[in-house]
Amino acid sequence: MDDMRLGLLLNAISPAIGGVLVRGEKGTAKTTTVRGLTALLPRVETVTGCRFSCDPASPDPACPDGPHEEAPGEARPARMVELPVGASEDRLVGALDIERALGEGVKAFEPGLLAAAHRGVLYVDEVNLLGDHLVDSLLDAAATGSSSVEREGVSVRHASRFLLVGTMNPEEGELRPQLLDRFGLTVEVAASRETEERVEVVRRRLAYDEDPAAFAAKWAAEEDVLRERIAAARALLPSVRLGDGALRRIAAVCAGFEVDGMRADIVTARAATALAAWAGRTDVTTADVRQAALLSLPHRRRRAPFDAPGLDEDKLDEILRQFEDDEPEPDPGPEGPDDGGPEGDGGPDGGGGEPPHDPELPPQREESAPSPRQDSQQGSQESSREPAGETSAESAPEAAPGGAAPEAPAVAAADPFRTRKFDVPGLGEGADGRRSRALTAHGRTTGARRPRGALSKLHLAATVQAAAPHQRARGRSGPGLVVRRDDLREAVREGREGNLVLFVVDASGSMAARKRMSAVKGAVLSLLLDAYQRRDKIGMITFRGGGAEVALPPTSSVDAGAARLEKLPTGGRTPLAAGLLRAHEMLRVERLRDPSRRPLVVVVTDGRATGGLEPLARAARAARLLAGEGTASVVVDCEQGPVRLGLAAELGRELRGPVVTLDELRADSISALVHTVRTTHTRRAA
């Protein structure tokens, strides 16, 4: 957890760094650590009664509660405001005070969470699950230091500078690359694998549960020392010199890793300066630049789809070695707090912020465990080097007795490409996304209606229009509008939703030829990338040998789907009916869990079916079962060669969905046919 603590402390020293994104597996105390930071922050001086936490020494001239001329101040603890995943946009940025507008006839602004978090901490747990509209507003405010609201006749701008902290579990989905770039630093956390450390974690947790007050009192003295060190680093920060040599190192590192834009350079410079202040120095050293780069660049290095963030430390050291002769003598700086920090706090030491090590032990670099993505890449690379011969449809081995199927080694996927867009017909009401048309909480307003249950999005004009004819009969005498519940209207808005894209992939012997399976995996990988960009949930079912299995339950983590795809073995019979029936069962369960999320089934096969009596007839019946429930489907025809049976086209007719070949799947293919799921369903209905 050293990197996580260091990232939080650096942002506490210099909020201009831009916050920190904490990525890690579940159960690693991400939330607990973030909440513990608030108690270490200095108290905040605010103008008495100001809802926007203006500083009495330099109040915001544009504050909606201003002007504050020689206003008295009061000290309060720094706030940590939590943004829940299900929050509305009005709750985040603020909105028109409807009660005062309708009751008193005045326009008044009701502040949101961005105003409450000013000069404090804004914490977003599971930031990757927030809607795009919330994340965009949140990160824009974090980048500009202010929030502007232009809606429902309200035009307000107020200061909103805060320490932004987001936590996420990558297994539940990723943030878009451009949003990742808006976080200043990112850190990876994982539970310790050391027995003694795990024992100590459990011991402290049990002690806290038994007596929280006594536990807090035990660590109060060390917290005071750490709080004073943060305050001293803040005071020293303006005196830290970022010389031309340090700037050249930063520029060389960012250019060497080919990061996009200039934000990486700026964030790395600010982080290196904060590291020097934390160590009590007034000069930025190469060690500061190295540590800052390890925190600010990994999430900006994502070049290929589904590549995990990371930084090659050997390459980083090689770049920095070019400037060894330019290293200045470090300035010890003014006399300040003990560089070692409080005993047992586990914090970074004075030398560039890196965690301390036992002086009795020789220094060594910790090797991080390879991620599942790296494991799968290594496995696919090793398997691709095996001299196994290719397996054709005719020579594919049959399943062994008992349903076991001999496996061909997994092959690497071909390079992904941009695919054509497929969507679900009709108008849904699912979660916000970018695939199919839907009635959503955000989007363009298409009309108004009476509220269904609790009023969520008021359509002000329609409400006033409904109430206006009855004002005389209701005895209106003042400026306020007399509104009854029957007058209320909610806005009807149309946007895009994310769907459940379920891949049903044929992994049988008829698909096992190396070149062919590589192309198939490349096509599925491309569709996975499309699902990631359109904010879909995805699932994967594979069928081969004696039946079908769920390779990936429905999830928002498209990276997990890519990893499973790379390790997918092939060989054996082709139980097409079993794959379709398993898809039907999975969709039945998912409709109970999330009835508003509509599915799109993508069947990747050559249409062949073997095993048992009348395998093609059973596959057709299973396809009709899916089509009968209105499930939108697409068939990706993987059949190749001069002789084609056209079985995939027959399957598409039974599923009532379009059939596209691997070539036609490309968005830029000259031979691409101009049809989608919607047009096919329309044709069938006609």
Side-chain angles (χ1 to χ4, degrees):
M1 307 293 287
D2 292 328
D3 284 346
M4 180 178 179
R5 287 198 301 269
L6 179 58
L8 292 172
L9 289 170
L10 293 180
N11 276 274
I13 296 168
S14 176
I17 290 174
V20 58
L21 175 65
V22 183
R23 299 162 46 94
E25 58 194 31
K26 52 187 175 292
T28 49
K30 298 186 294 293
T31 301
T32 303
T33 307
V34 174
R35 288 175 177 167
L37 175 68
T38 311
L40 302 176
L41 297 178
R43 294 176 67 86
V44 177
E45 289 283 342
T46 62
V47 174
T48 302
C50 178
R51 297 175 298 168
F52 302 88
S53 301
C54 282
D55 186 352
S58 57
D60 181 8
C63 176
D65 284 356
H68 304 301
E69 296 180 0
E70 299 181 357
E74 59 181 0
R76 61 165 176 79
R79 292 175 182 161
M80 189 183 79
V81 177
E82 295 193 41
L83 173 60
V85 171
S88 65
E89 189 175 10
D90 291 347
R91 186 73 187 96
L92 177 64
V93 302
L96 176 70
D97 189 331
I98 299 298
E99 183 178 352
R100 293 190 62 188
L102 297 180
E104 303 175 19
V106 298
K107 289 195 299 183
F109 179 69
E110 183 176 3
L113 296 178
L114 291 179
H118 180 46
R119 305 176 68 198
V121 178
L122 182 60
Y123 172 52
V124 189
D125 192 13
E126 306 296 351
V127 64
N128 52 323
L129 302 184
L130 281 178
D132 287 348
H133 58 289
L134 292 181
V135 178
D136 290 341
S137 299
L138 174 66
L139 295 181
D140 282 344
T144 62
S146 65
S147 175
S148 298
V149 182
E150 301 283 348
R151 55 190 304 170
E152 298 167 343
V154 175
S155 179
V156 172
R157 190 213 66 82
H158 63 83
S160 183
R161 291 181 294 275
F162 47 80
L163 168 55
L164 175 64
V165 182
T167 58
M168 59 176 284
N169 182 354
E171 294 178 356
E172 297 175 343
E174 288 283 358
L175 282 174
R176 300 196 312 270
Q178 60 268 39
L179 298 184
L180 278 172
D181 185 57
R182 300 299 289 271
F183 279 95
L185 310 179
T186 185
V187 295
E188 299 277 344
V189 297
S192 172
R193 300 298 185 258
E194 296 293 332
T195 302
E196 291 305 318
E197 288 187 2
R198 297 176 74 96
V199 168
E200 184 62 20
V201 169
V202 175
R203 183 181 292 118
R204 293 189 187 185
R205 175 67 200 197
L206 295 178
Y208 173 81
D209 292 339
E210 183 177 350
D211 191 344
F215 184 87
K218 177 182 177 181
W219 298 96
E222 296 191 13
E223 284 191 349
D224 289 340
V225 173
L226 191 56
R227 188 180 299 109
E228 292 173 2
R229 188 177 177 189
I230 293 174
R234 280 189 169 187
L236 181 60
L237 186 65
S239 302
V240 176
R241 295 186 295 271
L242 184 67
D244 290 342
L247 281 174
R248 281 194 293 270
R249 290 174 177 82
I250 292 170
V253 168
C254 293
F257 283 102
E258 299 179 354
V259 297
D260 294 329
M262 295 298 298
R263 184 174 285 118
D265 303 63
I266 297 171
V267 170
T268 305
R270 288 172 174 166
T273 304
L275 278 164
W278 172 250
R281 289 183 275 100
T282 56
D283 278 310
V284 174
T285 66
T286 299
D288 297 330
V289 173
R290 184 184 190 280
Q291 186 66 37
L294 290 174
L295 295 173
S296 62
L297 299 188
H299 60 303
R300 297 181 168 92
R301 276 278 302 147
R302 300 191 65 177
R303 309 301 297 177
F306 311 119
D307 280 352
L311 206 65
D312 185 344
E313 294 192 34
D314 291 335
K315 181 177 179 180
L316 175 61
D317 292 335
E318 181 182 348
I319 295 173
L320 292 176
R321 274 196 295 269
Q322 302 173 12
F323 299 90
E324 285 181 346
D325 296 337
D326 299 334
E327 178 70 18
E329 289 294 329
D331 187 338
E335 183 176 349
D338 180 14
D339 286 345
E343 181 180 357
D345 71 346
D349 67 4
E354 295 188 0
H357 62 271
D358 191 337
E360 299 294 331
L361 300 177
Q364 57 182 353
R365 177 181 297 171
E366 292 183 2
E367 296 292 338
S368 59
S371 65
R373 169 74 182 175
Q374 292 169 332
D375 283 342
S376 64
Q377 287 177 335
Q378 292 171 359
S380 63
Q381 291 170 356
E382 291 173 1
S383 63
S384 65
R385 291 193 293 267
E386 295 178 4
E390 298 203 1
T391 305
S392 64
E394 291 77 10
S395 63
E398 289 297 313
E407 295 183 358
V411 298
D415 292 336
F417 51 84
R418 189 168 64 90
T419 67
R420 293 170 47 198
K421 179 190 172 187
F422 299 99
D423 55 14
V424 178
L427 196 63
E429 296 186 13
D432 288 348
R434 298 181 174 182
R435 184 172 296 277
S436 306
R437 293 177 57 233
L439 297 176
T440 61
H442 309 277
R444 61 186 182 90
T445 301
T446 59
R449 67 185 180 191
R450 293 182 182 273
R452 299 177 181 177
L455 179 65
S456 57
K457 291 290 183 181
L458 179 71
H459 194 298
L460 187 58
T463 298
V464 172
Q465 187 176 6
H470 309 291
Q471 296 305 295
R472 179 173 296 180
R474 294 173 182 173
R476 173 184 170 184
S477 58
L481 191 67
V482 181
V483 179
R484 304 283 169 81
R485 180 169 180 79
D486 289 344
D487 301 328
L488 297 178
R489 298 292 185 271
E490 67 178 6
V492 178
R493 297 179 178 176
E494 183 177 320
R496 292 278 172 178
E497 67 176 0
N499 299 110
L500 169 59
V501 181
L502 178 58
F503 295 91
V504 183
V505 182
D506 185 349
S508 64
S510 65
M511 302 282 288
R514 267 186 192 281
K515 184 177 180 181
R516 184 179 185 185
M517 198 60 199
S518 177
V520 169
K521 284 187 175 183
V524 178
L525 191 65
S526 303
L527 291 166
L528 282 171
L529 176 60
D530 182 68
Y532 163 68
Q533 294 171 337
R534 300 190 187 281
R535 314 294 285 178
D536 294 318
K537 290 182 68 174
I538 61 115
M540 186 181 300
I541 292 173
T542 62
F543 57 93
R544 58 178 291 274
E549 64 178 9
V550 178
L552 182 69
T555 175
S556 296
S557 177
V558 182
D559 287 336
R564 301 290 177 87
L565 180 69
E566 287 184 355
K567 295 185 289 187
L568 179 66
T570 58
R573 295 177 180 174
T574 313
L576 177 57
L580 297 175
L581 290 175
R582 180 59 67 92
H584 176 267
E585 176 62 19
M586 179 183 287
L587 294 181
R588 184 187 67 81
V589 174
E590 287 302 310
R591 286 190 183 98
L592 297 176
R593 293 177 178 171
D594 189 358
S596 64
R597 189 178 288 271
R598 298 186 296 163
L600 173 63
V601 176
V602 180
V603 185
V604 184
T605 181
D606 56 9
R608 289 179 171 85
T610 60
L613 298 175
E614 300 182 340
L616 287 175
R618 287 189 289 109
R621 288 195 295 271
R624 288 195 292 271
L625 182 63
L626 282 170
E629 295 183 345
T631 303
S633 304
V634 178
V635 177
V636 179
D637 184 2
C638 303
E639 191 174 32
Q640 295 177 337
V643 179
R644 304 193 180 191
L645 302 179
L647 297 176
E650 292 291 339
L651 179 63
R653 281 190 284 271
E654 297 291 354
L655 288 170
R656 302 177 189 173
V659 180
V660 295
T661 65
L662 292 176
D663 289 337
E664 294 167 352
L665 188 62
R666 294 178 178 270
D668 55 354
S669 175
I670 298 177
S671 60
L673 303 178
V674 185
H675 62 261
T676 62
V677 178
R678 181 192 297 113
T679 57
T680 301
H681 274 257
T682 303
R683 191 184 309 117
R684 291 291 180 182

